[in-house]
Coordinates of all heavy atoms in Angstrom, one line a residue:
T531 N 80.5 77.8 100.9 CA 81.4 78.6 100.4 C 82.1 79.5 101.4 O 81.5 79.5 102.6 CB 80.8 79.4 99.3 OG1 79.8 80.2 99.8 CG2 80.2 78.5 98.2
T532 N 83.1 80.2 101.0 CA 83.7 81.1 101.9 C 82.7 82.2 102.4 O 82.6 82.6 103.5 CB 85.0 81.8 101.4 OG1 85.8 80.7 101.1 CG2 85.5 82.8 102.3
D533 N 81.9 82.7 101.4 CA 80.9 83.8 101.6 C 79.8 83.3 102.7 O 79.4 83.9 103.5 CB 80.2 84.2 100.4 CG 81.0 85.2 99.6 OD1 82.1 85.7 100.1 OD2 80.7 85.5 98.4
K534 N 79.5 81.9 102.3 CA 78.4 81.4 103.4 C 79.0 81.2 104.7 O 78.3 81.5 105.7 CB 78.0 80.0 102.8 CG 76.9 80.1 101.8 CD 76.3 78.7 101.5 CE 75.1 78.7 100.6 NZ 74.5 77.4 100.3
A535 N 80.3 80.8 104.8 CA 80.9 80.7 106.1 C 81.0 82.0 106.8 O 80.8 82.0 108.1 CB 82.3 79.9 106.0
D536 N 81.4 83.0 106.1 CA 81.6 84.3 106.7 C 80.2 84.8 107.2 O 80.2 85.3 108.3 CB 81.9 85.3 105.7 CG 83.4 85.2 105.3 OD1 84.2 84.4 105.9 OD2 83.7 85.8 104.2
M537 N 79.1 84.5 106.6 CA 77.8 84.9 107.0 C 77.3 84.1 108.1 O 76.8 84.7 109.2 CB 76.8 84.8 105.9 CG 77.0 85.7 104.7 SD 76.4 87.3 105.3 CE 74.7 87.2 105.4
I538 N 77.5 82.8 108.2 CA 77.2 82.0 109.2 C 77.9 82.5 110.6 O 77.4 82.5 111.7 CB 77.4 80.5 109.0 CG1 76.5 79.9 107.9 CG2 77.2 79.6 110.3 CD1 76.9 78.6 107.4
F539 N 79.1 82.7 110.4 CA 79.9 83.1 111.7 C 79.6 84.5 112.0 O 79.4 84.7 113.3 CB 81.5 83.2 111.1 CG 82.4 83.5 112.3 CD1 82.5 82.4 113.3 CD2 83.2 84.6 112.4 CE1 83.4 82.7 114.4 CE2 84.1 84.7 113.5 CZ 84.2 83.8 114.4
A540 N 79.2 85.4 111.2 CA 78.7 86.7 111.4 C 77.3 86.7 112.2 O 77.0 87.6 112.8 CB 78.7 87.6 110.2
S541 N 76.7 85.7 111.9 CA 75.2 85.5 112.3 C 75.1 85.2 113.9 O 74.1 85.3 114.4 CB 74.4 84.4 111.6 OG 74.8 83.1 112.0
I542 N 76.2 84.9 114.5 CA 76.2 84.6 115.9 C 76.5 85.8 116.6 O 77.7 86.3 116.5 CB 77.1 83.5 116.3 CG1 76.9 82.2 115.4 CG2 77.0 83.2 117.7 CD1 77.9 81.1 115.6
P543 N 75.7 86.6 117.4 CA 76.0 87.9 118.1 C 77.1 87.6 119.0 O 77.3 86.6 119.6 CB 74.7 88.3 118.6 CG 73.6 87.4 118.0 CD 74.3 86.2 117.5
Y544 N 78.0 88.7 119.1 CA 79.0 88.7 120.1 C 78.7 88.3 121.5 O 79.4 87.6 122.3 CB 79.8 89.9 119.9 CG 80.7 90.1 118.7 CD1 80.6 91.3 118.0 CD2 81.5 89.1 118.2 CE1 81.3 91.5 116.9 CE2 82.1 89.3 117.1 CZ 82.0 90.5 116.4 OH 82.8 90.6 115.2

Side-chain angles (χ1 to χ4, degrees):
T531 64
T532 300
D533 280 348
K534 277 189 175 181
D536 290 348
M537 289 289 291
I538 293 170
F539 190 63
S541 73
I542 305 172
Y544 290 133

